[in-house]
Amino acid sequence: MKLFRTGLFLLFPFLIFSCDSPFNHSGWDTSKVQIARDEFGVPHIFGITDPDVAYGLAWAHAEDDFETIQKTLLAGKRMLGRVYGQDGAAVDFFGHLLQTVEIAEAKYESAYSEEFKAILEAYAAGMNDFALAHPEEVLFKEAFPVNTKEITAAYILSLAQMSGADRAVQQIVSGKVETVPFDADPKGSNAIAIHSSRTDSGEAFLAINSHQPLDGPVAWYEAHLHSEEGWNILGGLFPGGAMIFHGVNENLGWAHTVNFPDLLDLYQLDINPKNEDQYLVDGEWLELEEETVWLRVKLWDLITIPFPKKIWKSIYGPTLVTEQGTFSIRLGALERIGAPEQWWRMNKSRNFKEFSEAMSRMELTSFNTVYADKYDTIFYVSNGLIPIREPSIDFTGTVAGNTKKALWTSYHDFEDLPQQFNPASGFLFNTNHSPFKASGLADNLNPDNYPKSMDYLLRDNNRSTRFRELMPDTGRISYERFKEIKYDGQLPEKLAFRTNMESLFGLNPSKYPEIAKQIEAINKWDKRSGIDSEGAAVFAFVYYYWWDKFAENGRSWETTLTEEESVESLKATKDHFNTHFGKELVTLGEYQKLVRGDKALPLQGIDDVITAMRSLPWENGMRKGTQGESYIMMVRFGEGLPKIETINVFGASNDPDSPHFDDQMELFLGQKLKPMTLDKAEVLKTAKEIYNPGGKK
């Protein structure tokens, strides 16, 4: 979205200088908080109370990635434009449009319990105290101190974005509002739970395998949180998170994957031709609420200038006025804001009953959840804050906003959602595919038993198809075999991409001698995505070639490549490899790299294999991995504490000067895992560093 165009904004050419905003230390008794760093620098945070742990998490995470956390907090405070110019101001405008700060202010007191408010207060105190102790690392002085309502606003903004609000806004301003777009760049994941009856050791297995961006505001950070009040969990969170988002505690664990129910609706308003501030609803003209917001934008690294921008609101929600029309957005993420407390209660659940009670709060706006515990329970739900919609109205496209019948005000209960408990097949999984295909074929749910207005995805993808090729319907599997399945990097026998690419695999090299080597490489390719594969490199180039072409010309992914198009992309492959590598064929490891600082290592994986990896153009004709395999956790539930192995793509720290900036890369690329534990005594026995917040640096 191009936010600033000539003539759209009134320019006020005066300086807004950054000024000191002094505040006091929180006075937190940090002697009650211990941070123990293991050999990989992962923080294990111990506290007397839950708030002590939240304070320690804020401090430890800030030590490792204060800059990214600040970006999240700046987004919540609508101050990104003051640091990052126009790009940041676009996010600030998004926050203004959704009124995330105002929603947090209005709903905070009623949305959270007093005990959870204490968690957020402790986290804010830890973050503010770190900023006081490290003023040289503060990006924008006026952003501190941060308070709990501003942290809540950041959560609201993130969950609204994950519910599709950002794509809806982009669709409106681009003049393409026929339907809410399917995310062509989803942040995918894998989650697998195997019941103890299906394992040779009699343990339940859980794979937590998210495919997030490798760095940035939604990249995983690993932490272990342990209080004397029953909070003991290891897992992943994003910068700014005050609890674990998915992971494992002493008794149970869960994984999230992105899902695609219909969480959001777009409405086109019927504007009064005689008064553009009015819209028609059930025969009555209603007034649009209009407000001018000021976006403060840093320019030329010298001055910060305020730009005015109008936003509107209708009875349906945030509204944009464009040349194509006036459109409103409605989604539950702006109505219910209690997701952080729900996550915290999931963190502290001791059994399936408590976990399902936490899930039943229906504050978490989306995400599939795959669960396993030590009590022989596996569970799956395709969670979503899904509106109860008027059946007579078609909500799959843009909705006519001229009747209150289209104005939904309630949501489906947890019991209404697609879910399975201990299926006979003994396994549950999700790879961002249909929730009605989460287990063995005989156990799968019938989509006809759910309201059409939920609009859940019905299709498989390559990962779900390949998983079924690998997972036997009967018998027991070993933990080693479970890991082999999770680390499989092969496409299925029958491809399930949204684009039919069969023509690529049916070319005759004698018909096209100028690209015979490329055709033969594809014909011989075993569909594996290892670093030594030339076929994988050719396929990856072709895949991204059409990815870019479709983005340029707006062509739908739901299409079929012709023979001519396959030939065109193979010719482009040959030219690219010759130009940049001096040869017609290269291996995937030559073409695709995992890059961190000065390290650039061969990287396996292509889009939509189980070990998925997506990459972007980098340098000298190579590509750089940007999204896919990132934080991985493998768990066995049996006697005693769960047995846990994890790996993170780079390391525990985002500081280039830290030894933990890239010390997990080689293990990650070798598909190796590091052992982890929830046992406090064991952590303290083997820790490389133990200190209180403020006790080092």
Side-chain angles (χ1 to χ4, degrees):
M1 178 173 57
K2 186 68 174 176
L3 196 56
F4 305 109
R5 300 181 188 277
T6 302
L8 288 181
F9 293 88
L10 180 62
L11 186 63
F12 286 81
F14 58 84
L15 304 181
I16 299 177
F17 293 99
S18 176
C19 59
D20 290 334
S21 178
F23 57 98
N24 296 322
H25 189 278
S26 70
W28 203 274
D29 184 356
T30 59
S31 69
K32 297 180 179 180
V33 184
Q34 275 186 316
I35 300 171
R37 298 275 185 174
D38 62 25
E39 65 175 308
F40 288 96
V42 175
H44 301 253
I45 298 151
F46 303 109
I48 304 300
T49 66
D50 288 357
D52 288 333
V53 172
Y55 181 98
L57 172 60
W59 189 280
H61 200 169
E63 288 180 325
D64 292 326
D65 197 9
F66 190 38
E67 181 177 350
T68 308
I69 295 172
Q70 288 182 81
K71 291 178 182 178
T72 299
L73 298 177
L74 285 166
K77 294 170 76 83
R78 301 191 298 225
M79 290 183 171
L80 277 173
R82 307 184 194 198
V83 180
Y84 296 103
Q86 289 196 37
D87 290 342
V91 180
D92 293 343
F93 173 74
F94 185 57
H96 277 293
L97 177 68
L98 301 189
Q99 295 191 303
T100 51
V101 171
E102 292 76 10
I103 291 170
E105 185 71 34
K107 295 179 179 287
Y108 178 83
E109 292 299 332
S110 61
Y112 298 136
S113 66
E114 292 304 315
E115 57 183 340
F116 184 69
K117 289 176 188 173
I119 298 294
L120 292 181
E121 288 162 4
Y123 185 86
M127 199 58 59
N128 291 328
D129 288 352
F130 187 89
L132 276 174
H134 301 275
E136 74 284 355
E137 297 184 39
V138 172
L139 296 176
F140 187 63
K141 292 180 181 179
E142 292 179 26
F144 288 94
V146 65
N147 64 47
T148 56
K149 292 178 182 177
E150 292 164 343
I151 291 172
T152 300
Y155 276 108
I156 297 169
L157 189 70
S158 296
L159 289 167
Q161 182 269 329
M162 292 179 184
S163 299
D166 61 333
R167 299 193 304 276
V169 170
Q170 289 168 5
Q171 186 188 36
I172 291 170
V173 298
S174 66
K176 301 174 182 177
V177 289
E178 292 182 4
T179 60
V180 177
F182 182 87
D183 190 356
D185 188 23
K187 296 167 180 62
S189 305
N190 302 321
I192 310 167
I194 311 292
H195 192 269
S196 59
S197 63
R198 292 294 312 275
T199 71
D200 64 359
S201 63
E203 301 167 306
F205 297 161
L206 177 66
I208 301 173
N209 181 203
S210 178
H211 293 163
Q212 285 296 109
L214 306 189
D215 53 24
V218 287
W220 289 112
Y221 179 74
E222 183 176 29
H224 172 203
L225 312 179
H226 183 292
S227 80
E228 302 305 317
E229 296 181 329
W231 196 5
N232 188 14
I233 188 167
L234 172 73
L237 61 144
F238 297 155
M243 71 294 297
I244 298 299
F245 293 172
H246 66 181
V248 57
N249 66 26
E250 296 174 357
N251 304 301
L252 57 87
W254 73 95
H256 286 318
T257 70
V258 172
N259 61 352
F260 304 101
D262 191 353
L263 303 173
L264 177 150
D265 285 314
L266 281 177
Y267 299 82
Q268 182 167 8
L269 305 185
D270 188 353
I271 298 298
N272 187 345
K274 297 181 180 179
N275 185 344
E276 61 184 13
D277 295 326
Q278 294 182 334
Y279 61 105
L280 188 67
V281 179
D282 294 328
E284 179 184 359
W285 293 112
L286 303 182
E287 293 287 333
L288 277 173
E289 297 179 31
E290 180 183 318
E291 181 182 355
T292 298
V293 299
W294 291 88
L295 305 175
R296 290 175 168 80
V297 187
K298 185 177 183 180
L299 299 177
W300 309 295
D301 290 329
L302 295 173
I303 59 174
T304 299
I305 297 176
F307 290 85
K309 179 70 173 172
K310 285 186 178 181
I311 59 172
W312 293 266
K313 188 176 181 180
S314 74
I315 61 171
Y316 302 103
T319 300
L320 287 167
V321 177
T322 74
E323 292 181 0
Q324 191 181 7
T326 301
F327 300 91
S328 296
I329 305 166
R330 188 168 186 79
L331 68 160
L334 302 181
E335 300 295 326
R336 295 188 181 178
I337 68 168
E341 179 162 357
Q342 179 172 324
W343 264 319
W344 176 66
R345 294 189 179 278
M346 292 160 66
N347 278 208
K348 296 196 66 173
S349 298
R350 294 170 294 181
N351 50 49
F352 180 69
K353 180 178 182 294
E354 292 183 2
F355 185 83
S356 59
E357 287 173 352
M359 292 292 293
S360 297
R361 296 171 68 92
M362 292 301 292
E363 299 283 354
L364 192 58
T365 54
S366 62
F367 308 128
N368 296 293
T369 301
V370 175
Y371 165 102
D373 65 27
K374 69 178 186 180
Y375 306 111
D376 288 333
T377 297
I378 61 173
F379 173 74
Y380 164 74
V381 61
S382 192
N383 181 72
L385 193 54
I386 305 175
I388 298 175
R389 297 175 168 98
E390 168 59 41
S392 65
I393 297 176
D394 181 6
F395 284 88
T396 57
T398 302
V399 182
N402 58 9
T403 174
K404 289 184 179 179
K405 288 183 179 180
L407 180 65
W408 44 261
T409 57
S410 59
Y411 305 90
H412 286 281
D413 292 332
F414 183 69
E415 293 75 17
D416 298 339
L417 304 176
Q419 56 191 278
Q420 290 181 266
F421 176 90
N422 281 349
S425 64
F427 68 87
L428 289 164
F429 77 107
N430 185 268
T431 65
N432 314 111
H433 69 293
S434 170
F436 309 113
K437 300 178 178 183
S439 188
L441 296 180
D443 295 325
N444 283 334
L445 302 174
N446 184 350
D448 293 337
N449 294 335
Y450 298 85
K452 299 291 185 185
S453 63
M454 286 184 165
D455 200 25
Y456 274 104
L457 195 66
L458 299 179
R459 66 184 294 271
D460 272 305
N461 55 30
N462 288 297
R463 284 172 289 136
S464 62
T465 305
R466 178 62 178 164
F467 178 82
R468 289 195 196 92
E469 291 179 353
L470 297 169
M471 182 66 197
D473 291 333
T474 59
R476 297 174 181 265
I477 67 170
S478 68
Y479 178 62
E480 288 306 312
R481 179 56 182 158
F482 182 54
K483 288 203 287 187
E484 288 173 359
I485 292 172
K486 181 263 147 299
Y487 273 116
D488 183 80
Q490 183 174 344
L491 289 170
E493 182 178 349
K494 183 173 177 56
L495 297 182
F497 287 111
R498 291 167 61 204
T499 299
N500 184 332
M501 305 178 73
E502 289 303 316
S503 64
L504 183 67
F505 299 90
L507 297 175
N508 186 338
S510 63
K511 184 178 178 181
Y512 303 102
E514 70 275 24
I515 52 170
K517 287 185 178 180
Q518 288 70 35
I519 293 173
E520 289 168 357
I522 282 290
N523 289 344
K524 293 176 182 177
W525 184 40
D526 58 8
K527 296 182 181 177
R528 296 182 184 274
S529 57
I531 60 173
D532 296 325
S533 174
E534 293 179 338
V538 172
F539 180 81
F541 183 91
V542 170
Y543 182 86
Y544 292 119
Y545 178 86
W546 290 111
W547 180 286
D548 294 338
K549 286 277 188 181
F550 290 177
E552 289 172 9
N553 58 31
R555 182 174 170 183
S556 169
W557 278 76
E558 308 294 341
T559 188
T560 298
L561 287 187
T562 65
E563 180 173 330
E564 292 74 18
E565 288 173 328
S566 290
V567 169
E568 172 192 332
S569 53
L570 287 179
K571 288 180 179 178
T573 305
K574 175 182 176 180
D575 291 343
H576 183 86
F577 289 167
N578 267 328
T579 299
H580 295 285
F581 300 92
K583 51 186 177 179
E584 291 192 24
L585 295 174
V586 300
T587 65
L588 185 62
E590 292 175 283
Y591 181 44
Q592 182 173 265
K593 303 293 184 179
L594 183 63
V595 181
R596 181 75 154 173
D598 295 331
K599 280 188 182 180
L601 304 177
L603 177 61
Q604 68 269 11
I606 56 177
D607 204 11
D608 211 22
V609 294
I610 292 176
T611 50
M613 185 57 64
R614 190 169 294 167
S615 58
L616 291 173
W618 180 46
E619 61 181 34
N620 300 323
M622 294 180 286
R623 298 185 70 88
K624 171 184 174 180
T626 56
Q627 181 177 312
E629 292 278 270
S630 50
Y631 179 59
I632 300 167
M633 174 180 277
M634 304 290 285
V635 187
R636 289 174 283 171
F637 293 99
E639 293 295 323
L641 291 174
K643 301 179 182 69
I644 307 167
E645 294 182 291
T646 73
I647 200 70
N648 211 347
V649 58
F650 295 127
S653 176
N654 222 24
D655 179 0
D657 295 327
S658 168
H660 306 299
F661 180 65
D662 58 9
D663 61 341
Q664 295 185 50
M665 281 179 70
E666 285 81 3
L667 285 174
F668 175 85
L669 292 169
Q671 299 184 337
K672 305 295 184 183
L673 301 167
K674 63 186 193 297
M676 298 293 285
T677 183
L678 293 168
D679 186 328
K680 178 179 179 180
E682 181 64 22
V683 170
L684 294 176
K685 177 182 175 182
T686 59
K688 300 303 180 184
E689 262 189 305
I690 302 173
Y691 58 96
N692 307 112
K696 71 169 192 172
K697 288 195 174 181

